[in-house]
Amino acid sequence: MPIQTAKLSDPTVRAFVTALNAHDKDAFRAVLAPGATMADDGSERDLPDWTDREIFDSNGHMEVEKELAQGRGLVASYRNDTWGEMRTRWTFQVEGGKVTRFETGQD
């Protein structure tokens, strides 16, 4: 059974998922620290390019199945118009209420 976004335990991760699912670019960018970085399937990616392509331009949506690492890790069903639906793992580094890095990939 999926975990409701409002019930995610880490407030910064909760804000990240909320903004992603709402397709709210301003709120999404606001949760990222300046200079934030990310990787997808172990490869470093350009964060603005990746998020536009994989989230905002393709109607990305995350349904969280499980939390790990005190809420800084997620297992989720992720879908977008480009790739369809897949089981993914997400990990977050958070400092001062902002995501400094996230990594995602197929689980």
Side-chain angles (χ1 to χ4, degrees):
M1 170 160 271
I3 299 171
Q4 293 177 11
T5 303
K7 296 195 185 274
L8 293 175
S9 54
D10 185 280
T12 304
V13 172
R14 184 170 56 242
F16 179 100
V17 175
T18 299
L20 184 154
N21 285 344
H23 302 116
D24 186 335
K25 281 188 183 185
D26 292 335
F28 186 84
R29 289 184 180 126
V31 80
L32 299 175
T37 61
M38 60 107 22
D40 181 9
D41 283 328
S43 297
E44 293 298 311
R45 304 287 186 200
D46 177 84
L47 193 147
D49 175 64
W50 187 93
T51 55
D52 280 348
R53 189 178 65 254
E54 299 291 339
I55 298 171
F56 299 110
D57 295 343
S58 60
N59 297 306
H61 185 84
M62 181 188 302
E63 191 169 277
V64 177
E65 298 173 7
K66 182 166 66 170
E67 287 188 294
L68 310 163
Q70 294 78 46
R72 300 264 171 103
L74 304 174
V75 175
S77 175
Y78 186 79
R79 67 181 178 273
N80 67 23
D81 293 344
T82 304
W83 305 108
E85 189 166 329
M86 64 191 81
R87 186 177 165 98
T88 56
R89 185 174 295 265
W90 299 72
T91 59
F92 299 89
Q93 294 175 12
V94 177
E95 292 176 23
K98 301 280 187 183
V99 173
T100 58
R101 179 173 177 80
F102 70 92
E103 298 182 17
T104 187
Q106 291 193 54
D107 186 45

